[in-house]
């Protein structure tokens, strides 16, 4: 219901309502604030708590925390930080174990080629992608609350990390490095990538310490989907030089996508026919297999492992045809066996990579929390967003000691794990076993794997992200604002960069929230015949408007940004006119809520001068607390505060003399 002039639903000054008054209807005993205190006695105690100094409240909270440091309290804390202690005793071994084993092995098989492919996207040797597919998965199995979440290498994070690594450790302009120089360059890049994993993990642990899991609510679904879709386009373009066999340096910074396209088009005549043939054959196999897995997911016992089949075929073809020596096809080479020695990343690098680690931490948390929430809702369990911050923070922090780059939950492998029958985090252990076998024994089999195949795996893994754009027509029909958020974020990611695009998307999304609060309508309510329920007058013609009683609902938060519109709407509805006396200034806190509280007190004063009884119903605890802390509650009497609209209306009809069309007003 609009509160704009010309759309009034409350009778104006001097107007009489032609509706019958329900004064003869039977109302329940009104429950005023004073009556509530008399009956229950909690309101006075609550007011005292609200008026309690902040330092006293903090001291009382710390005492409560200290009392919780007992044996049972420590056990509860341990169960909260180690989720397997909660779900493992209730694990259904017979129906779940086979599904977790099959799903874990399937995901592990996919982790091997994808890990090596995303390592190249990160500008580090392929074996470090295998490390990142092992340690983070193992740690999240012990600390995560998402039962169906698959973690490891993620294309978006790999792209962001690779751009930062190329900026921090650029390739020498002369090129043609010797073997020793190449090893030194790779070691520096691995150190920079590990430092970014350390920094993003430390930031997430800091967010966990501050209990900032609520930030997941500010990273809306349109922002996350637009971010991943735009990043998928970056991944596609960045892999074109590898597909065509063009040794081009990676473009970084704003407009990097367009710079890469221009460089590829310029160097297109120098493409390698051999690598182009390998890429074409790889895509010709991978894309149809992906489509078959999607179309027949209900009929296939497990998805077809197209990536591992392609890796084996390409390795055999390269070995038998000597593509590396005869046609200069780039291959993976020797994968070192075992694990790297634990090494603390250089702390001197942290100030340089902090600006890159922050968006990585936000992307990690946004993607992981949204994915975990989707499957938690689907399978009827709950996740702890703060525990997710802790799990991913520890995962990145500890894995960085083993030269891993930033990691998070992944869209493709999470969907694969669910389709393969995964039930709990135990599937992660089986996935780790597969990667472990490659690191310990099967690494030499990947020596002749062409790097062009890894680029094709990168592109084919983006399929799900590209298809998110098919939701845009439906999003346009449901919410034009969310559609605008999606498009603005996507354009910013594509034209600028992933981290800047994320910042633009979040800021624009928050701006739409502010704009929505400015456009909320003020509804006039009427009484439904034969009941004591109040509904917006425009919804039905069977609603009665009580003469002398005007009930207004203003459902938006009242703060400095909405106080002007709030004043204009109520002045028009109540016929108070422009101007009026200003509310006296107080020594309360100069924040937004205090501004809204002063607006309420000013409205009460003007209504009292105009002979209008103002009643407030359904005020939540935050509104009452703000009025109390600002020292303004003494200007609104307890008789003006009600628990519900029905109680306020009953009080007005039974206790007040309704002599005019606007003698009494109830503001919800």
């Amino acid at each position: 219901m609009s509160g704009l002039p010309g759309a009034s639903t409350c009778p104006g000054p001097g107007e009489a309502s032609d509706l019958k008054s329900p004064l003869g209807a039977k109302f329940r005993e009104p429950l005023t604030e004073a009556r509530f205190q008399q009956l229950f006695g909690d309101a006075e105690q609550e007011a005292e708590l609200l008026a309690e100094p902040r330092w006293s409240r903090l001291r009382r909270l710390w005492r409560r925390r200290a009392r919780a440091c007992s044996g049972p309290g420590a056990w509860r804390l341990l169960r909260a930080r180690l989720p397997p202690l909660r779900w493992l005793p209730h694990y259904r071994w017979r129906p779940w174990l086979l599904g977790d084993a099959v799903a874990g092995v399937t995901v592990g098989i996919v982790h091997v080629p994808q890990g090596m492919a995303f390592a190249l996207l990160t500008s580090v040797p392929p074996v470090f992608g295998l490390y990142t597919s092992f340690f983070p998965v193992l740690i999240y199995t012990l600390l995560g609350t998402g039962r169906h979440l698959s973690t490891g290498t993620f294309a978006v994070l790999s792209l962001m990390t690779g751009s930062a690594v190329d900026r921090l450790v650029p390739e020498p302009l002369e090129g043609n490095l010797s073997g020793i120089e190449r090893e030194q360059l790779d070691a520096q890049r691995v150190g920079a990538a590990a430092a970014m994993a350390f920094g993003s993990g430390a930031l997430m642990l800091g967010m966990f310490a501050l209990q900032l899991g609520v930030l997941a609510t500010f990273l809306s679904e349109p922002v996350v989907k637009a971010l991943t879709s735009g990043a998928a386009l970056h991944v596609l373009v960045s892999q074109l030089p590898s597909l065509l066999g063009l040794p081009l340096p990676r473009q970084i910074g704003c407009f990097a996508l367009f710079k890469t396209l221009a460089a590829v088009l310029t160097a297109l005549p120098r493409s390698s026919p051999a690598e182009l043939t390998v890429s074409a054959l790889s895509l010709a196999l991978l894309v149809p297999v992906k489509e078959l897995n999607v179309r027949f997911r209900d009929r296939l016992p497990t998805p077809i492992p197209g990536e591992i089949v392609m890796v084996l075929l390409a390795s055999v073809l390269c070995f038998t045809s000597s593509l590396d020596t005869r046609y200069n096809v780039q291959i993976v080479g020797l994968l070192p066996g075992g694990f790297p020695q634990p090494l603390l990343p250089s702390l001197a690098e942290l100030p340089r990579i902090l600006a890159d680690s922050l968006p990585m931490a936000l992307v990690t948390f946004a993607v992981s929390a949204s994915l975990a929430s989707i499957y938690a809702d689907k399978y009827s369990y709950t996740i702890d967003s703060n525990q997710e911050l802790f799990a991913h923070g520890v995962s990145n922090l500890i894995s960085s000691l083993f030269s891993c780059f930033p990691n998070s939950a992944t869209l493709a492998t999470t969907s694969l794990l669910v389709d393969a029958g995964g039930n709990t985090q135990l599937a992660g252990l089986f996935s780790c076993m597969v990667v472990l076998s490659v690191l310990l024994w099967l690494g030499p089999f990947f020596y002749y794997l062409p790097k062009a195949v890894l680029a094709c795996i990168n592109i084919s893994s983006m399929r799900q992200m590209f298809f998110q754009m098919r939701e845009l027509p439906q999003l346009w029909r449901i919410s034009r604002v969310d559609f605008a958020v999606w498009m603005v974020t996507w354009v910013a990611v594509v034209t600028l960069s992933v981290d800047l695009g994320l910042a633009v998307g979040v800021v624009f999304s928050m701006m739409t929230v502010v704009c929505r609060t400015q456009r909320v309508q003020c509804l006039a309510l009427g009484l439904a015949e034969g009941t004591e329920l109040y509904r917006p007058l425009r919804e039905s013609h069977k609603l009665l408007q009580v003469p002398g009683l005007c009930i207004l609902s203003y459902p938006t938060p009242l703060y400095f940004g909405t106080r002007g519109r709030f004043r204009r709407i109520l002045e028009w509805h109540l016929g108070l006119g422009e101007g009026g006396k200003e509310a006296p200034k107080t020594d309360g806190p100069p924040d937004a809520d205090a501004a809204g509280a002063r607006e309420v007190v000013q409205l009460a004063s003007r209504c009292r001068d105009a002979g209008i009884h103002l009643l407030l119903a359904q005020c939540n605890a935050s509104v009452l607390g703000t009025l109390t802390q600002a020292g303004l509650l003494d200007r609104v009497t307890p008789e003006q505060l009600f628990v519900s609209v029905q109680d306020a209306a009953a009080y007005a009809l039974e206790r007040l003399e309704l002599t005019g069309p606007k003698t009494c007003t109830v503001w919800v």
Side-chain angles (χ1 to χ4, degrees), residues 5 45-46 58 195 210 300 344 373 399 440 445 495 587 604 630 634 648:
Q45 181 180 1
E46 182 178 346
L58 290 176
L210 297 175
L300 294 172
L344 182 67
S373 299
S399 62
L440 295 181
F445 289 96
T495 57
D587 296 329
D634 56 348

Side-chain angles (χ1 to χ4, degrees), residues 226-294:
L227 173 73
T228 53
S229 296
L233 190 59
H234 276 280
V235 172
L236 171 63
V237 173
S238 68
Q239 296 303 292
L240 290 179
S242 298
L243 292 179
L244 302 173
L246 296 173
L248 298 177
R250 173 179 290 183
Q251 302 292 333
I252 59 177
C254 296
F255 311 107
L257 185 145
F258 305 103
K259 295 176 183 177
T260 303
L261 281 176
V264 168
L265 292 176
T266 303
L268 197 58
R270 304 198 307 269
S271 300
S272 170
E275 298 212 33
L276 185 58
T277 302
V278 171
S279 302
L281 293 175
S282 300
L283 290 176
L285 174 65
L286 289 174
V287 173
V289 168
K290 291 278 187 182
E291 193 65 27
L292 287 174
N293 284 334
V294 172

Side-chain angles (χ1 to χ4, degrees), residues 437-483:
S437 64
V438 174
L439 287 171
L440 295 181
W441 303 294
L442 303 180
F445 289 96
F446 299 95
Y447 182 91
Y448 289 99
L449 175 62
K451 291 185 178 181
V453 175
L454 297 180
C456 295
I457 293 175
N458 276 332
I459 293 175
S460 64
S461 65
M462 298 293 103
R463 175 187 180 280
Q464 189 175 1
M465 299 184 193
F466 284 128
F467 283 175
Q468 290 179 142
M469 301 188 72
R470 295 188 299 185
E471 302 175 6
L472 286 178
Q474 182 182 6
L475 190 61
W476 171 264
R477 292 190 296 268
I478 295 175
S479 173
R480 305 290 174 85
V481 176
D482 286 345
F483 179 87

Side-chain angles (χ1 to χ4, degrees), residues 645-661:
V645 181
Q646 289 79 9
D647 290 325
Y651 176 85
L653 293 172
E654 293 188 4
R655 303 292 177 87
L656 302 178
E657 296 181 1
L658 303 181
T659 58

Side-chain angles (χ1 to χ4, degrees), residues 485-507:
V485 171
W486 204 105
M487 291 304 302
V488 168
T489 306
W490 187 85
V491 171
V493 169
V494 170
T495 57
L496 300 178
S497 60
V498 177
D499 49 355
L500 290 178
L502 174 63
V504 171
V506 171
V507 171

Side-chain angles (χ1 to χ4, degrees), residues 56-354:
S56 299
R57 291 202 302 271
L58 290 176
R59 185 171 55 186
R60 180 165 44 81
L61 178 62
W62 279 110
R63 287 177 179 174
R64 186 186 306 169
R65 292 283 179 90
R67 287 195 299 269
C69 292
S70 58
W75 175 244
R76 286 194 300 269
L77 179 62
L78 188 62
R79 281 166 52 90
R81 296 296 163 256
L82 289 176
L85 295 178
R86 299 198 306 266
W87 59 263
L88 197 56
H90 306 286
Y91 188 83
R92 300 164 59 186
W93 294 95
R94 181 168 296 179
W96 286 356
L97 183 59
L98 181 60
D100 282 341
V102 172
V105 171
T106 304
V107 170
I109 291 174
V110 174
H111 268 317
V112 173
Q114 278 196 359
M116 293 190 290
F118 292 161
L120 295 183
L121 197 61
T122 315
S123 298
V124 297
V127 69
F128 293 94
L130 296 179
Y131 300 151
T132 312
S133 299
F134 177 80
F135 291 104
V137 177
L138 182 63
I139 296 171
Y140 185 82
T141 300
L142 301 176
L143 301 179
T145 60
R147 298 180 186 176
H148 299 84
L149 211 61
S150 174
T151 59
T153 56
F154 183 39
V156 176
L157 279 178
S158 297
L159 178 70
M160 297 172 66
T161 307
S163 299
V165 166
D166 286 339
R167 188 185 71 252
L168 295 172
V169 189
E171 182 121 7
L173 297 177
E174 61 273 9
N176 296 324
L177 301 178
S178 64
I180 297 178
E181 291 174 336
R182 172 58 63 182
E183 289 181 1
Q184 293 176 347
L185 180 67
D186 288 341
Q188 293 177 5
R189 290 187 165 184
V190 169
M196 277 181 276
F198 186 92
S200 61
L203 287 173
M204 281 187 280
L205 287 180
M207 294 166 64
F208 163 75
L210 297 175
Q211 297 291 286
L212 295 181
V214 69
L215 290 178
T217 59
F218 295 100
L219 297 168
S220 62
E221 184 177 351
V223 171
V224 175
K225 288 189 174 182
L227 173 73
T228 53
S229 296
L233 190 59
H234 276 280
V235 172
L236 171 63
V237 173
S238 68
Q239 296 303 292
L240 290 179
S242 298
L243 292 179
L244 302 173
L246 296 173
L248 298 177
R250 173 179 290 183
Q251 302 292 333
I252 59 177
C254 296
F255 311 107
L257 185 145
F258 305 103
K259 295 176 183 177
T260 303
L261 281 176
V264 168
L265 292 176
T266 303
L268 197 58
R270 304 198 307 269
S271 300
S272 170
E275 298 212 33
L276 185 58
T277 302
V278 171
S279 302
L281 293 175
S282 300
L283 290 176
L285 174 65
L286 289 174
V287 173
V289 168
K290 291 278 187 182
E291 193 65 27
L292 287 174
N293 284 334
V294 172
R295 294 195 174 214
F296 300 100
R297 66 172 62 185
D298 297 331
R299 302 182 186 179
L300 294 172
T302 59
I304 303 173
E307 289 89 348
I308 198 67
V309 172
M310 187 66 250
V311 164
L312 295 176
L313 290 178
S315 300
V316 172
L317 176 64
C318 183
F319 172 73
T320 56
S321 303
S322 302
L323 296 180
D324 56 327
T325 56
R326 295 173 61 185
Y327 301 102
N328 199 27
V329 172
Q330 298 295 314
I331 61 175
V332 169
L334 180 64
L335 294 179
F339 298 103
Q341 292 292 330
L343 179 65
L344 182 67
S346 176
L347 298 181
E349 295 288 335
L350 291 181
R352 298 175 59 198
I353 55 90
L354 189 60

